[in-house]
Amino acid sequence: MNLSKLAGALVKAKRPYCTAVIVAAGSSSRMGGTDKLSASLGGKPVLLRTLQVFQDCPCIDEIVVVVRQERIIGADALCRANDLDKVSAIVAGGETRAESVLAGLESANKKARLAAIHDGARPLVTREIIERTVHKAAQVGAAAPAIPLKDTIKRVGKGVVVETPPREELVGIQTPQVFDKDFIEGALFQALEQGILLTDDCSAAERLGMAVHLTEGSEKNVKITTPLDLALANLIWEERQV
């Protein structure tokens, strides 16, 4: 074994096995009829761009992809055609995000100690963001990338402002959100049992008292939800190619 391979093997041996769960089971309801995961980003599908970042990230040991039932065959073909050999399973998602994430976690390798849960429609995440968040979670149990908010946020009730929280106390949370795998699996299962609707996975951890530590995110780590997001993502992609 040469020195570079030996160094890589030593680093891998010293860190927890990490499974990336890529959640791509949404309905693209706000995309005006376009499927955001198969939409083009720099000439390739959004989902492929997302998967390739995790494929190339050394701190990710395997990838589980969660899609709608009818997209499993297409997703499998996409992974095979692009040599995504870290993809170990492609599974059907559920009616809610929590159900979809749990489906992915249940298919993770038994060796997994960390789970990096990421939006399939967030293709501009960087290796640096992933590595920072995985390493922090390995130390403290739960971590997520965040960015400061620019806008003033209002809490409202019946169309009337109720409160203006201090902006310096607010952040925008991104993905991947990385957790001790067994803990987040139990937290999500409990939330489902109790009928709690969650918009992100950190919420499940917070409910059980787990402190989620923040890492540096990026304004360019955008989630594609609307056609405007897709247009912005393509501009960012083009900028990165220069």
Side-chain angles (χ1 to χ4, degrees), residues 16-68:
Y17 188 103
C18 183
T19 297
V21 176
I22 308 301
V23 187
S27 62
S28 299
S29 59
R30 287 176 279 180
M31 283 295 295
T34 299
D35 176 33
K36 61 187 177 184
L37 294 167
S38 60
S40 175
L41 178 60
K44 293 185 179 181
V46 165
L47 179 58
L48 176 58
R49 293 295 189 194
T50 301
L51 294 173
Q52 285 176 324
V53 183
F54 285 83
Q55 170 74 28
D56 296 338
C57 191
C59 68
I60 299 298
D61 295 287
E62 72 165 344
I63 302 168
V64 176
V65 188
V66 185
V67 296
R68 299 200 303 275

Side-chain angles (χ1 to χ4, degrees), residues 163-191:
E163 180 187 9
T164 304
R167 189 168 58 187
E168 61 272 17
E169 296 180 3
L170 302 173
V171 294
I173 296 293
Q174 302 180 331
T175 65
Q177 297 176 6
V178 188
F179 308 90
D180 175 275
K181 187 257 185 186
D182 291 339
F183 175 84
I184 195 61
E185 196 165 11
L188 288 168
F189 184 78
Q190 184 183 108

Side-chain angles (χ1 to χ4, degrees), residues 15-237:
R15 62 168 176 76
Y17 188 103
C18 183
T19 297
V21 176
I22 308 301
V23 187
S27 62
S28 299
S29 59
R30 287 176 279 180
M31 283 295 295
T34 299
D35 176 33
K36 61 187 177 184
L37 294 167
S38 60
S40 175
L41 178 60
K44 293 185 179 181
V46 165
L47 179 58
L48 176 58
R49 293 295 189 194
T50 301
L51 294 173
Q52 285 176 324
V53 183
F54 285 83
Q55 170 74 28
D56 296 338
C57 191
C59 68
I60 299 298
D61 295 287
E62 72 165 344
I63 302 168
V64 176
V65 188
V66 185
V67 296
R68 299 200 303 275
Q69 179 69 50
E70 66 270 20
R71 293 197 172 274
I72 290 178
I73 293 175
D76 181 66
L78 183 73
C79 293
R80 291 178 184 277
N82 290 279
D83 299 320
L84 299 178
D85 58 7
K86 284 187 182 179
V87 176
S88 61
I90 300 172
V91 300
E95 294 297 317
T96 66
R97 180 183 178 86
E99 289 173 320
S100 294
V101 174
L102 275 173
L105 292 171
E106 287 167 1
S107 297
N109 192 299
K110 299 302 181 186
K111 295 186 292 185
R113 293 293 173 265
L114 294 176
I117 304 167
H118 186 71
D119 302 318
R122 210 181 276 271
L124 295 169
V125 66
T126 62
R127 171 175 161 176
E128 291 74 21
I129 290 174
I130 297 170
E131 289 180 340
R132 277 197 297 268
T133 313
V134 168
H135 293 326
K136 176 59 75 173
Q139 296 168 357
V140 299
I147 58 171
L149 295 182
K150 293 181 177 179
D151 295 327
T152 297
I153 302 299
K154 304 286 186 181
R155 190 168 68 85
V156 301
K158 298 181 179 180
V160 176
V161 172
V162 174
E163 180 187 9
T164 304
R167 189 168 58 187
E168 61 272 17
E169 296 180 3
L170 302 173
V171 294
I173 296 293
Q174 302 180 331
T175 65
Q177 297 176 6
V178 188
F179 308 90
D180 175 275
K181 187 257 185 186
D182 291 339
F183 175 84
I184 195 61
E185 196 165 11
L188 288 168
F189 184 78
Q190 184 183 108
L192 272 178
E193 274 198 325
Q194 296 176 358
I196 306 295
L197 183 62
L198 303 173
T199 57
D200 79 336
D201 307 294
C202 288
S203 301
E206 293 159 21
R207 289 185 66 251
L208 298 188
M210 171 69 85
V212 179
H213 292 250
L214 301 181
T215 60
E216 182 183 353
S218 169
E219 290 183 340
K220 296 179 180 179
N221 183 20
V222 296
K223 182 180 180 183
I224 297 173
T225 303
T226 68
L228 181 59
D229 298 327
L230 180 60
L232 175 60
N234 271 288
L235 287 174
I236 295 170
W237 181 265

